[in-house]
Amino acid sequence: MTVLVFEGQGATAVPGEPETDLTALPPAEAQRAIVVHQLGRARAGAEGRERIDGVLGQSLGEVSALVVAGALSEEDGLRFVRLRAALPARLLPPRPWTMASMTRLRPAAAEEATEGLDVWVAGRNGPADCVVVGASGDFATFVERVGALPQTYRELPVTAPYHTPVMAPVAEALAAEVAGFDVRDPAVPVWSPTGVTEVRTAADVRRVLIEALTSPVAWAETLAVAAGRWPDAPWRECGPSCSLHRFVWKNGLKLDWGEA
């Protein structure tokens, strides 16, 4: 059996001939390119291999995971991705946002430093690794509060405050769209970092798609739970940057991890 894993939108390029520079694309096109690449890798990696017995995805990658699990059609998955990327500019007040991966900061310390700021911990990736997003000016204040050095964090190519309460208007609009999708029970097990739960039914799929917009990504906890669920399975990451493997050792896990 094989577990497939899908990363979020932190990649800056998609491999190919020629390579696609995601930073030069509008958000909707960049996110679509990531998901198309991941779905292609998943299909190619499954040919002639063991069956897929589980999937999980981080942030944007959760959409890819649900398509591979048979819960969403590729058409609806890509439609959701386009709306997820385009609606923030239409529905949220114009404001510059900064999202960054903080590589030497405990999530609890990050939470404390957000007091009084429009800054949120959007992802918990490890004991001393988290993703933070906020209004750009407040993010600069946050960096000063935690004493972060430039080499201890990496800004991500994200233009909206995903996984925060600010996204509530987008979540409401997308809920109306998702109501019209042909959503099915997943054909293979799906573990979601939105609440750390197994997605078993079509209702679960609809809920996770919407709640993920306003809820933080509990990646570290999800990895640990899934590792216990599939302790002997090979894990294959479906790109584009194949960066999630580093969270395996950061969380003290031992998994057979490779690329699809």
Side-chain angles (χ1 to χ4, degrees):
M1 63 180 179
T2 301
V3 178
L4 294 184
V5 191
F6 304 87
E7 67 181 90
Q9 62 191 96
T12 58
V14 168
E17 295 295 340
E19 182 179 83
T20 301
D21 179 4
L22 296 175
T23 64
L25 297 178
E29 291 183 29
Q31 292 190 35
R32 184 183 189 281
I34 290 172
V35 171
V36 168
H37 174 79
Q38 290 177 337
L39 297 179
R41 290 278 288 271
R43 283 192 292 264
E47 291 176 1
R49 284 187 164 180
E50 303 159 306
R51 70 181 188 274
I52 299 170
D53 277 352
V55 295
L56 59 157
Q58 184 189 60
S59 188
L60 177 65
E62 190 158 31
V63 181
S64 299
L66 291 169
V67 172
V68 170
L72 286 176
S73 68
E74 183 169 341
E75 179 182 2
D76 280 343
L78 292 175
R79 180 182 174 196
F80 181 85
V81 167
R82 177 178 59 79
L83 292 169
R84 177 187 187 273
L87 287 178
R90 301 180 201 169
L91 299 179
L92 303 182
R95 194 174 187 186
W97 298 98
T98 301
M99 179 177 281
S101 173
M102 316 295 293
T103 58
R104 301 178 190 174
L105 182 62
R106 293 186 176 277
E111 289 280 8
E112 184 177 350
T114 65
E115 181 68 30
L117 301 176
D118 283 345
V119 177
W120 295 265
V121 176
R124 294 168 174 80
N125 290 333
D129 200 308
C130 58
V131 173
V132 174
V133 62
S136 296
D138 283 3
F139 178 80
T141 301
F142 169 84
V143 167
E144 292 178 3
R145 285 184 181 181
V146 298
L149 300 174
Q151 61 267 31
T152 65
Y153 67 93
R154 177 175 66 92
E155 292 191 18
L156 304 174
V158 177
T159 57
Y162 293 100
H163 313 299
T164 75
V166 179
M167 293 290 286
V170 178
E172 183 178 356
L174 272 173
E177 293 288 339
V178 170
F181 287 4
D182 179 18
V183 180
R184 300 172 291 279
D185 295 351
V188 299
V190 181
W191 273 99
S192 170
T194 304
V196 192
T197 183
E198 186 171 0
V199 180
R200 298 176 182 272
T201 68
D204 291 339
V205 173
R206 296 181 190 277
R207 175 182 56 78
V208 162
L209 283 171
I210 302 309
E211 289 185 1
L213 293 163
T214 57
S215 303
V217 180
W219 188 243
E221 187 178 351
T222 304
L223 272 180
V225 170
R229 170 72 180 272
W230 300 295
D232 301 318
W235 290 51
R236 301 290 179 257
E237 189 171 351
C238 295
S241 69
C242 291
S243 61
L244 296 180
H245 64 88
R246 67 180 183 270
F247 298 122
V248 174
W249 59 264
K250 284 185 177 183
N251 286 285
L253 302 173
K254 294 183 179 179
L255 297 171
D256 174 4
W257 194 285
E259 295 183 23

